[in-house]
Amino acid sequence: MSELGLVLLLLAGFAQGSFGLGMKKQSPLSWESFWLIYSLFAMLVVPFVWGYAGFDSFMESILMTDSKVIMTSLLLGFLWGIGGILFGMSVSYVGISITNGVVMGLAGGLGAIIPLFGIEGATHQPSFIYVILGVAIMLVGVALSAYSGILREKEQNVGSSKVNNSQKSSLVKGLVIVVSSGVLSSLLNVGFEAAIPIIDNAKSLGATYSASSIPARAVVVFGGLLMNAGYAIFLLCKNKTWGDFSFKQQGSITASVWAVITGFLWFLPLGLSGIVSVSIGELGNVITWPVMLSLSLIFGNIWGYLTGEWKNTKHSFLLMIVASVILIAACMILTFKDSFIN
């Protein structure tokens, strides 16, 4: 991987680990109002504006693609969208720490392994063992990061009462939801791999490698938009919160601006990692996906520390540092695998 590619992945990880900060600025908008604005910008406006800015034949590269490829990419994006909704539901059951750790682990691991075994002759490539090793180490780091979050909650809630049967039942239900979310979330990268023919078409129409991945990613995330925007509209109708868009409440315009910023920061890492993935070649999505998610988890923990989420903790904070070091090691193996081979 080139030095520029490494810088772009660092920026992608930083953006992915930071975009959630904007969601803390939701008030006074309802969740569904904020989510609709965010979804429209993240999965429609930003990718399509970026795509057209990259080259004039952006839409042509999509329309000339086989309909089966388009439908598969949209379906995988839609299924990923369900995983995103389940992510939000699981937080209320098991907390953000467990949710973030489990989803990151499953999404990163499966999102890399499924495309890897879909590449013809992948198991015979010299880099195969290093990719598997890097993903395995990443999963260890993610697991430790998740456990550090659980331990943090225990340290910050010393003296709380024991968990009753009702809470245990909710925990089991929450774990089922969070595992489902992780599996479905991995399909975003599977969708990017399925959409590679769109990239080939973009190149044939004169797109540079830095612009050729955007049409493919735009199609996949549009599938996710159908789910996310659809669910938000359903809640707007159910909860009768369409009035949020009158922007009469004080602070509603500011919250809407944060929704737009959040949407931009969400797609930015996908666009940047797409550029790197095309430059790498056949294993591009396999390498960039887990590296980006690992870096995002590291930056997310840094933001957590800076915003006081690790206040009054000791053991969990040290474990989080260890987990971050392991994630960095995994990123190094995946990023510089070619150096080990040579």
Side-chain angles (χ1 to χ4, degrees), residues 72-104:
T72 299
S73 301
L74 288 172
L75 176 60
L76 289 167
F78 184 84
L79 292 173
W80 160 78
I82 297 175
I85 299 300
L86 291 178
F87 182 97
M89 293 175 59
S90 61
V91 170
S92 63
Y93 283 101
V94 299
I96 187 63
S97 299
I98 300 177
T99 299
N100 207 36
V102 172
V103 171
M104 284 287 190

Side-chain angles (χ1 to χ4, degrees), residues 61-238:
S61 67
I62 297 173
L63 295 177
M64 67 185 289
T65 304
D66 188 280
S67 59
K68 290 183 179 179
V69 173
I70 297 295
M71 293 306 296
T72 299
S73 301
L74 288 172
L75 176 60
L76 289 167
F78 184 84
L79 292 173
W80 160 78
I82 297 175
I85 299 300
L86 291 178
F87 182 97
M89 293 175 59
S90 61
V91 170
S92 63
Y93 283 101
V94 299
I96 187 63
S97 299
I98 300 177
T99 299
N100 207 36
V102 172
V103 171
M104 284 287 190
L106 288 173
L110 293 176
I113 296 300
I114 294 174
L116 175 63
F117 283 96
I119 298 174
E120 186 177 354
T123 57
H124 300 296
Q125 293 188 20
S127 60
F128 177 77
I129 186 64
Y130 294 102
V131 173
I132 294 296
L133 178 62
V135 171
I137 293 175
M138 182 209 73
L139 290 175
V140 172
V142 169
L144 288 178
S145 181
Y147 182 69
S148 70
I150 298 171
L151 188 60
R152 180 190 69 188
E153 293 176 3
K154 290 182 178 179
E155 287 184 321
Q156 292 177 336
N157 294 282
V158 175
S160 60
S161 58
K162 294 183 178 180
V163 178
N164 56 39
N165 290 332
S166 176
Q167 290 173 316
K168 288 181 179 179
S169 177
S170 294
L171 179 61
V172 172
K173 183 177 181 180
L175 289 174
V176 172
I177 294 174
V178 76
V179 169
S180 300
S181 173
V183 173
L184 290 171
S185 294
S186 71
L187 298 182
L188 183 61
N189 198 49
V190 178
F192 293 155
E193 188 71 13
I196 284 180
I198 303 176
I199 296 177
D200 295 334
N201 289 337
K203 289 179 179 178
S204 71
L205 292 171
T208 61
Y209 82 90
S210 60
S212 60
S213 66
I214 303 302
R217 306 214 159 199
V219 170
V220 178
V221 300
F222 185 79
L225 173 68
L226 298 177
M227 177 62 206
N228 282 274
Y231 183 67
I233 291 172
F234 167 75
L235 290 180
L236 283 164
C237 295
K238 177 183 177 182

Side-chain angles (χ1 to χ4, degrees), residues 23 25-37 232 235-237 239-245 249 252 255-256 259:
M23 294 183 179
K25 307 292 185 179
Q26 170 190 316
S27 180
L29 294 178
S30 63
W31 179 88
E32 53 268 28
S33 299
F34 186 95
W35 200 260
L36 181 59
I37 298 172
L235 290 180
L236 283 164
C237 295
N239 300 329
K240 300 179 180 179
T241 45
W242 285 103
D244 285 352
F245 295 110
Q249 297 183 78
S252 60
S256 299

